[in-house]
CSV table of all heavy atoms in Angstrom, one decimal:
chain,number,residue,atom,x,y,z
A,1443,TYR,N,4.9,6.8,5.1
A,1443,TYR,CA,4.7,5.5,5.6
A,1443,TYR,C,5.8,4.6,5.3
A,1443,TYR,O,6.5,4.7,4.3
A,1443,TYR,CB,3.4,4.9,5.0
A,1443,TYR,CG,2.2,5.8,4.9
A,1443,TYR,CD1,2.1,6.8,3.9
A,1443,TYR,CD2,1.2,5.8,5.9
A,1443,TYR,CE1,1.0,7.6,3.8
A,1443,TYR,CE2,0.1,6.6,5.8
A,1443,TYR,CZ,0.1,7.6,4.8
A,1443,TYR,OH,-1.0,8.4,4.8
A,1445,TYR,N,6.2,0.3,5.0
A,1445,TYR,CA,5.6,-1.0,4.9
A,1445,TYR,C,6.7,-2.0,4.7
A,1445,TYR,O,7.7,-1.8,4.2
A,1445,TYR,CB,4.6,-1.1,3.8
A,1445,TYR,CG,3.4,-0.2,3.8
A,1445,TYR,CD1,3.4,1.1,3.3
A,1445,TYR,CD2,2.2,-0.6,4.4
A,1445,TYR,CE1,2.3,1.9,3.3
A,1445,TYR,CE2,1.1,0.2,4.4
A,1445,TYR,CZ,1.1,1.5,3.9
A,1445,TYR,OH,0.0,2.3,3.9
A,1447,GLN,N,6.8,-6.1,3.0
A,1447,GLN,CA,6.0,-7.1,2.3
A,1447,GLN,C,6.8,-8.3,2.2
A,1447,GLN,O,8.0,-8.4,1.6
A,1447,GLN,CB,5.7,-6.6,0.8
A,1447,GLN,CG,4.8,-7.5,0.1
A,1447,GLN,CD,4.4,-6.9,-1.3
A,1447,GLN,OE1,5.1,-6.2,-1.9
A,1447,GLN,NE2,3.1,-7.2,-1.6
A,1451,MET,N,2.6,-12.2,0.4
A,1451,MET,CA,1.7,-11.5,1.3
A,1451,MET,C,1.5,-10.1,0.9
A,1451,MET,O,2.2,-9.5,0.1
A,1451,MET,CB,2.3,-11.6,2.7
A,1451,MET,CG,2.4,-13.0,3.3
A,1451,MET,SD,3.1,-13.0,5.0
A,1451,MET,CE,1.8,-12.2,5.8
A,1452,GLY,N,0.5,-9.5,1.5
A,1452,GLY,CA,0.2,-8.1,1.3
A,1452,GLY,C,1.2,-7.2,2.1
A,1452,GLY,O,2.1,-7.7,2.7
A,1453,LEU,N,0.9,-5.9,2.0
A,1453,LEU,CA,1.8,-5.0,2.7
A,1453,LEU,C,1.3,-4.8,4.2
A,1453,LEU,O,0.1,-4.7,4.5
A,1453,LEU,CB,1.7,-3.6,2.1
A,1453,LEU,CG,2.5,-3.5,0.8
A,1453,LEU,CD1,1.8,-4.1,-0.4
A,1453,LEU,CD2,2.8,-2.0,0.5
A,1455,LEU,N,1.9,-2.4,7.6
A,1455,LEU,CA,2.4,-1.1,8.0
A,1455,LEU,C,3.3,-1.2,9.2
A,1455,LEU,O,2.9,-1.8,10.2
A,1455,LEU,CB,1.2,-0.2,8.3
A,1455,LEU,CG,1.5,1.3,8.7
A,1455,LEU,CD1,2.1,2.0,7.5
A,1455,LEU,CD2,0.2,2.0,9.2
A,1458,TYR,N,4.2,5.0,10.6
A,1458,TYR,CA,3.8,6.1,9.7
A,1458,TYR,C,4.0,7.5,10.4
A,1458,TYR,O,4.2,7.5,11.6
A,1458,TYR,CB,2.4,5.9,9.2
A,1458,TYR,CG,1.4,6.2,10.3
A,1458,TYR,CD1,0.7,7.4,10.4
A,1458,TYR,CD2,1.1,5.1,11.2
A,1458,TYR,CE1,-0.3,7.6,11.4
A,1458,TYR,CE2,0.1,5.3,12.2
A,1458,TYR,CZ,-0.5,6.5,12.3
A,1458,TYR,OH,-1.5,6.7,13.2
A,1466,ASP,N,4.1,7.4,14.4
A,1466,ASP,CA,3.2,6.5,15.2
A,1466,ASP,C,3.4,5.1,14.7
A,1466,ASP,O,3.8,4.8,13.6
A,1466,ASP,CB,1.8,6.9,15.1
A,1466,ASP,CG,0.9,6.4,16.3
A,1466,ASP,OD1,1.5,5.6,17.1
A,1466,ASP,OD2,-0.2,6.8,16.4
A,1467,LYS,N,3.2,4.1,15.6
A,1467,LYS,CA,3.3,2.7,15.3
A,1467,LYS,C,2.2,2.2,14.4
A,1467,LYS,O,1.1,2.6,14.5
A,1467,LYS,CB,3.4,1.9,16.5
A,1467,LYS,CG,4.6,2.2,17.4
A,1467,LYS,CD,4.5,1.3,18.7
A,1467,LYS,CE,5.7,1.7,19.6
A,1467,LYS,NZ,5.7,0.9,20.8
A,1500,PHE,N,8.8,-1.0,1.6
A,1500,PHE,CA,8.3,0.1,0.7
A,1500,PHE,C,8.0,1.3,1.6
A,1500,PHE,O,7.4,1.3,2.7
A,1500,PHE,CB,7.0,-0.3,0.1
A,1500,PHE,CG,7.2,-1.4,-1.0
A,1500,PHE,CD1,6.9,-2.7,-0.8
A,1500,PHE,CD2,7.6,-1.0,-2.3
A,1500,PHE,CE1,7.0,-3.6,-1.8
A,1500,PHE,CE2,7.8,-1.9,-3.3
A,1500,PHE,CZ,7.5,-3.3,-3.0
A,1507,GLY,N,-3.0,11.9,5.9
A,1507,GLY,CA,-3.3,10.5,6.4
A,1507,GLY,C,-4.7,10.1,6.2
A,1507,GLY,O,-5.0,8.9,6.5
A,1508,GLN,N,-5.6,10.9,5.8
A,1508,GLN,CA,-7.0,10.5,5.6
A,1508,GLN,C,-7.1,9.6,4.3
A,1508,GLN,O,-6.3,9.8,3.4
A,1508,GLN,CB,-7.9,11.8,5.3
A,1508,GLN,CG,-7.8,12.7,6.5
A,1508,GLN,CD,-8.5,12.2,7.7
A,1508,GLN,OE1,-9.4,11.4,7.7
A,1508,GLN,NE2,-7.9,12.5,8.9
A,1509,SER,N,-8.0,8.7,4.4
A,1509,SER,CA,-8.1,7.7,3.3
A,1509,SER,C,-8.5,8.3,2.0
A,1509,SER,O,-8.4,7.6,0.9
A,1509,SER,CB,-9.0,6.6,3.7
A,1509,SER,OG,-10.4,7.0,3.8
A,1510,GLY,N,-8.9,9.6,2.0
A,1510,GLY,CA,-9.3,10.2,0.7
A,1510,GLY,C,-8.1,10.6,-0.2
A,1510,GLY,O,-8.3,11.0,-1.3
A,1511,TRP,N,-6.9,10.4,0.4
A,1511,TRP,CA,-5.7,10.8,-0.4
A,1511,TRP,C,-4.9,9.5,-0.7
A,1511,TRP,O,-4.4,8.8,0.2
A,1511,TRP,CB,-4.8,11.7,0.5
A,1511,TRP,CG,-5.5,13.0,0.7
A,1511,TRP,CD1,-6.1,13.4,1.8
A,1511,TRP,CD2,-5.6,14.1,-0.2
A,1511,TRP,NE1,-6.6,14.7,1.6
A,1511,TRP,CE2,-6.3,15.2,0.4
A,1511,TRP,CE3,-5.1,14.3,-1.5
A,1511,TRP,CZ2,-6.6,16.4,-0.2
A,1511,TRP,CZ3,-5.4,15.6,-2.1
A,1511,TRP,CH2,-6.1,16.6,-1.5
A,1512,PRO,N,-4.7,9.3,-2.0
A,1512,PRO,CA,-4.0,8.1,-2.4
A,1512,PRO,C,-2.5,8.1,-2.0
A,1512,PRO,O,-1.9,9.2,-1.9
A,1512,PRO,CB,-4.1,8.1,-3.9
A,1512,PRO,CG,-5.2,9.0,-4.3
A,1512,PRO,CD,-5.3,10.0,-3.2
A,1513,GLN,N,-2.0,7.0,-1.7
A,1513,GLN,CA,-0.6,6.9,-1.4
A,1513,GLN,C,0.3,6.6,-2.6
A,1513,GLN,O,-0.1,5.9,-3.5
A,1513,GLN,CB,-0.4,5.8,-0.3
A,1513,GLN,CG,-1.0,6.0,1.0
A,1513,GLN,CD,-0.8,5.0,2.0
A,1513,GLN,OE1,0.2,4.3,2.0
A,1513,GLN,NE2,-1.6,4.9,3.0
A,1515,PHE,N,3.9,5.2,-3.9
A,1515,PHE,CA,5.0,4.3,-3.4
A,1515,PHE,C,6.3,4.4,-4.1
A,1515,PHE,O,6.3,4.7,-5.3
A,1515,PHE,CB,4.5,2.9,-3.5
A,1515,PHE,CG,3.4,2.5,-2.5
A,1515,PHE,CD1,2.1,2.8,-2.7
A,1515,PHE,CD2,3.8,1.8,-1.3
A,1515,PHE,CE1,1.1,2.5,-1.8
A,1515,PHE,CE2,2.8,1.5,-0.4
A,1515,PHE,CZ,1.5,1.8,-0.6
A,1516,GLY,N,7.4,4.1,-3.4
A,1516,GLY,CA,8.7,4.0,-4.0
A,1516,GLY,C,8.8,2.6,-4.6
A,1516,GLY,O,7.9,1.7,-4.5
A,1517,ASP,N,9.9,2.3,-5.1
A,1517,ASP,CA,10.2,1.0,-5.8
A,1517,ASP,C,10.7,-0.1,-4.8
A,1517,ASP,O,10.9,-1.2,-5.2
A,1517,ASP,CB,11.1,1.1,-6.9
A,1517,ASP,CG,10.5,1.8,-8.1
A,1517,ASP,OD1,9.3,1.8,-8.3
A,1517,ASP,OD2,11.3,2.5,-8.9
A,1520,ARG,N,15.1,-4.1,-1.1
A,1520,ARG,CA,15.1,-5.6,-0.9
A,1520,ARG,C,16.2,-5.9,0.1
A,1520,ARG,O,17.4,-5.7,-0.2
A,1520,ARG,CB,15.2,-6.3,-2.2
A,1520,ARG,CG,13.9,-6.3,-3.0
A,1520,ARG,CD,14.1,-6.3,-4.5
A,1520,ARG,NE,12.8,-6.2,-5.1
A,1520,ARG,CZ,12.2,-5.0,-5.3
A,1520,ARG,NH1,12.7,-3.9,-4.9
A,1520,ARG,NH2,11.0,-5.0,-5.9
B,1403,ASN,N,-16.5,8.5,7.0
B,1403,ASN,CA,-15.6,9.4,6.2
B,1403,ASN,C,-14.6,8.7,5.3
B,1403,ASN,O,-13.8,9.3,4.7
B,1403,ASN,CB,-14.9,10.4,7.1
B,1403,ASN,CG,-15.9,11.3,7.8
B,1403,ASN,OD1,-17.0,11.7,7.3
B,1403,ASN,ND2,-15.6,11.7,9.0
B,1404,ASP,N,-14.6,7.4,5.4
B,1404,ASP,CA,-13.6,6.6,4.6
B,1404,ASP,C,-13.9,6.6,3.1
B,1404,ASP,O,-15.0,6.4,2.7
B,1404,ASP,CB,-13.4,5.2,5.1
B,1404,ASP,CG,-12.7,5.1,6.5
B,1404,ASP,OD1,-11.9,6.0,6.8
B,1404,ASP,OD2,-12.9,4.1,7.2
B,1405,TYR,N,-12.8,6.7,2.3
B,1405,TYR,CA,-12.8,6.4,0.9
B,1405,TYR,C,-12.4,5.0,0.7
B,1405,TYR,O,-11.7,4.4,1.5
B,1405,TYR,CB,-11.9,7.4,0.1
B,1405,TYR,CG,-12.5,8.7,-0.1
B,1405,TYR,CD1,-12.6,9.6,1.0
B,1405,TYR,CD2,-13.0,9.1,-1.3
B,1405,TYR,CE1,-13.1,10.9,0.8
B,1405,TYR,CE2,-13.5,10.4,-1.5
B,1405,TYR,CZ,-13.6,11.3,-0.4
B,1405,TYR,OH,-14.1,12.5,-0.6
B,1407,THR,N,-10.1,2.8,-1.9
B,1407,THR,CA,-9.1,2.9,-2.9
B,1407,THR,C,-8.5,1.6,-3.3
B,1407,THR,O,-8.3,0.7,-2.5
B,1407,THR,CB,-7.9,3.8,-2.3
B,1407,THR,OG1,-8.5,4.9,-1.7
B,1407,THR,CG2,-6.9,4.2,-3.4
B,1409,TYR,N,-5.4,-0.4,-5.5
B,1409,TYR,CA,-4.1,-0.3,-6.0
B,1409,TYR,C,-3.7,-1.6,-6.8
B,1409,TYR,O,-4.3,-2.6,-6.6
B,1409,TYR,CB,-3.1,-0.2,-4.8
B,1409,TYR,CG,-3.1,1.1,-4.0
B,1409,TYR,CD1,-4.1,1.2,-3.0
B,1409,TYR,CD2,-2.2,2.1,-4.3
B,1409,TYR,CE1,-4.1,2.4,-2.3
B,1409,TYR,CE2,-2.3,3.3,-3.6
B,1409,TYR,CZ,-3.2,3.4,-2.6
B,1409,TYR,OH,-3.3,4.6,-1.9
B,1411,GLN,N,-0.3,-3.9,-8.1
B,1411,GLN,CA,1.1,-4.1,-7.9
B,1411,GLN,C,1.6,-5.2,-8.8
B,1411,GLN,O,1.1,-6.3,-8.8
B,1411,GLN,CB,1.4,-4.5,-6.4
B,1411,GLN,CG,2.8,-4.6,-6.1
B,1411,GLN,CD,3.1,-5.0,-4.7
B,1411,GLN,OE1,2.3,-5.6,-4.0
B,1411,GLN,NE2,4.3,-4.6,-4.2
B,1414,SER,N,8.1,-7.0,-8.1
B,1414,SER,CA,9.3,-6.1,-8.0
B,1414,SER,C,9.0,-4.6,-8.1
B,1414,SER,O,9.9,-3.8,-8.3
B,1414,SER,CB,10.4,-6.5,-9.0
B,1414,SER,OG,10.7,-7.9,-8.8
B,1415,GLN,N,7.7,-4.2,-7.9
B,1415,GLN,CA,7.4,-2.8,-7.9
B,1415,GLN,C,6.5,-2.5,-6.8
B,1415,GLN,O,5.9,-3.3,-6.2
B,1415,GLN,CB,6.7,-2.5,-9.2
B,1415,GLN,CG,7.5,-2.6,-10.5
B,1415,GLN,CD,6.7,-2.1,-11.7
B,1415,GLN,OE1,5.8,-1.3,-11.6
B,1415,GLN,NE2,7.1,-2.6,-12.9
B,1416,GLY,N,6.5,-1.2,-6.4
B,1416,GLY,CA,5.6,-0.7,-5.4
B,1416,GLY,C,4.1,-0.7,-5.9
B,1416,GLY,O,3.9,-0.6,-7.1
B,1417,PRO,N,3.2,-0.7,-5.1
B,1417,PRO,CA,1.8,-0.6,-5.5
B,1417,PRO,C,1.5,0.8,-6.2
B,1417,PRO,O,2.2,1.8,-5.9
B,1417,PRO,CB,1.0,-0.6,-4.2
B,1417,PRO,CG,1.9,-1.3,-3.2
B,1417,PRO,CD,3.2,-0.9,-3.6
B,1419,PHE,N,-1.6,3.4,-7.6
B,1419,PHE,CA,-3.0,3.8,-7.4
B,1419,PHE,C,-3.7,3.6,-8.7
B,1419,PHE,O,-3.3,3.9,-9.8
B,1419,PHE,CB,-3.0,5.3,-7.1
B,1419,PHE,CG,-4.4,5.9,-7.1
B,1419,PHE,CD1,-5.3,5.8,-6.1
B,1419,PHE,CD2,-4.8,6.7,-8.2
B,1419,PHE,CE1,-6.6,6.3,-6.1
B,1419,PHE,CE2,-6.1,7.3,-8.3
B,1419,PHE,CZ,-6.9,7.1,-7.2
B,1422,GLN,N,-10.3,5.4,-7.0
B,1422,GLN,CA,-10.8,5.7,-5.7
B,1422,GLN,C,-12.3,6.2,-5.7
B,1422,GLN,O,-12.6,6.9,-6.7
B,1422,GLN,CB,-10.0,6.8,-5.0
B,1422,GLN,CG,-10.3,7.1,-3.6
B,1422,GLN,CD,-9.4,8.2,-3.0
B,1422,GLN,OE1,-9.5,9.4,-3.4
B,1422,GLN,NE2,-8.5,7.8,-2.1
B,1460,TYR,N,-5.1,-4.6,-4.7
B,1460,TYR,CA,-5.4,-4.4,-3.3
B,1460,TYR,C,-6.6,-3.4,-3.1
B,1460,TYR,O,-6.6,-2.3,-3.8
B,1460,TYR,CB,-4.2,-3.8,-2.5
B,1460,TYR,CG,-3.1,-4.7,-2.4
B,1460,TYR,CD1,-2.0,-4.7,-3.3
B,1460,TYR,CD2,-3.0,-5.7,-1.4
B,1460,TYR,CE1,-0.9,-5.5,-3.2
B,1460,TYR,CE2,-1.9,-6.6,-1.3
B,1460,TYR,CZ,-0.9,-6.5,-2.2
B,1460,TYR,OH,0.2,-7.3,-2.1
B,1464,GLY,N,-9.9,3.1,5.1
B,1464,GLY,CA,-9.4,3.6,6.4
B,1464,GLY,C,-9.6,2.6,7.5
B,1464,GLY,O,-10.6,1.9,7.5
B,1470,ASN,N,-6.1,7.1,15.2
B,1470,ASN,CA,-5.5,8.1,14.3
B,1470,ASN,C,-5.8,7.6,12.9
B,1470,ASN,O,-5.4,6.5,12.5
B,1470,ASN,CB,-4.0,8.2,14.5
B,1470,ASN,CG,-3.4,9.2,13.7
B,1470,ASN,OD1,-3.8,9.5,12.6
B,1470,ASN,ND2,-2.3,9.9,14.2
B,1471,THR,N,-6.5,8.4,12.1
B,1471,THR,CA,-6.9,7.9,10.8
B,1471,THR,C,-5.7,7.8,9.8
B,1471,THR,O,-5.9,7.4,8.7
B,1471,THR,CB,-7.9,8.9,10.2
B,1471,THR,OG1,-7.4,10.2,10.2
B,1471,THR,CG2,-9.2,8.8,11.0
B,1472,GLY,N,-4.5,8.0,10.3
B,1472,GLY,CA,-3.3,7.8,9.4
B,1472,GLY,C,-3.0,6.3,9.2
B,1472,GLY,O,-2.3,5.9,8.3
B,1473,LYS,N,-3.6,5.4,10.0
B,1473,LYS,CA,-3.3,4.0,9.9
B,1473,LYS,C,-4.3,3.4,8.9
B,1473,LYS,O,-5.4,3.2,9.1
B,1473,LYS,CB,-3.5,3.3,11.2
B,1473,LYS,CG,-2.5,3.7,12.3
B,1473,LYS,CD,-2.7,2.9,13.5
B,1473,LYS,CE,-1.6,3.2,14.6
B,1473,LYS,NZ,-1.8,2.4,15.8
B,1474,LEU,N,-3.7,3.2,7.7
B,1474,LEU,CA,-4.5,2.6,6.6
B,1474,LEU,C,-4.0,1.2,6.4
B,1474,LEU,O,-2.9,0.9,6.3
B,1474,LEU,CB,-4.3,3.4,5.3
B,1474,LEU,CG,-4.7,4.9,5.5
B,1474,LEU,CD1,-4.4,5.7,4.2
B,1474,LEU,CD2,-6.2,5.0,5.8
B,1476,PHE,N,-3.9,-2.4,4.4
B,1476,PHE,CA,-4.1,-3.1,3.1
B,1476,PHE,C,-4.8,-4.4,3.4
B,1476,PHE,O,-4.5,-5.1,4.4
B,1476,PHE,CB,-2.8,-3.3,2.4
B,1476,PHE,CG,-2.3,-2.2,1.6
B,1476,PHE,CD1,-1.8,-1.0,2.2
B,1476,PHE,CD2,-2.4,-2.2,0.2
B,1476,PHE,CE1,-1.3,0.0,1.5
B,1476,PHE,CE2,-1.9,-1.1,-0.5
B,1476,PHE,CZ,-1.4,0.0,0.1
B,1477,GLY,N,-5.6,-4.9,2.5
B,1477,GLY,CA,-6.2,-6.2,2.5
B,1477,GLY,C,-5.1,-7.2,2.0
B,1477,GLY,O,-4.0,-6.8,1.8
B,1478,GLN,N,-5.5,-8.5,1.9
B,1478,GLN,CA,-4.5,-9.4,1.5
B,1478,GLN,C,-4.3,-9.4,0.0
B,1478,GLN,O,-3.3,-10.1,-0.5
B,1478,GLN,CB,-4.9,-10.9,1.9
B,1478,GLN,CG,-6.1,-11.5,1.1
B,1478,GLN,CD,-7.4,-11.1,1.6
B,1478,GLN,OE1,-7.6,-10.1,2.2
B,1478,GLN,NE2,-8.4,-12.0,1.4
Side-chain angles (χ1 to χ4, degrees):
Chain A
Y1443 313 83
Y1445 294 88
Q1447 185 172 36
M1451 297 182 66
L1453 283 79
L1455 183 66
Y1458 70 100
D1466 204 350
K1467 297 178 180 179
F1500 289 102
Q1508 301 292 327
S1509 65
W1511 294 101
Q1513 295 183 23
F1515 286 81
D1517 288 334
R1520 284 148 187 81
Chain B
N1403 295 328
D1404 284 337
Y1405 281 75
T1407 311
Y1409 292 82
Q1411 186 179 26
S1414 302
Q1415 293 185 24
F1419 170 80
Q1422 183 182 71
Y1460 292 98
N1470 185 328
T1471 54
K1473 291 185 179 179
L1474 301 176
F1476 276 74
Q1478 75 272 28

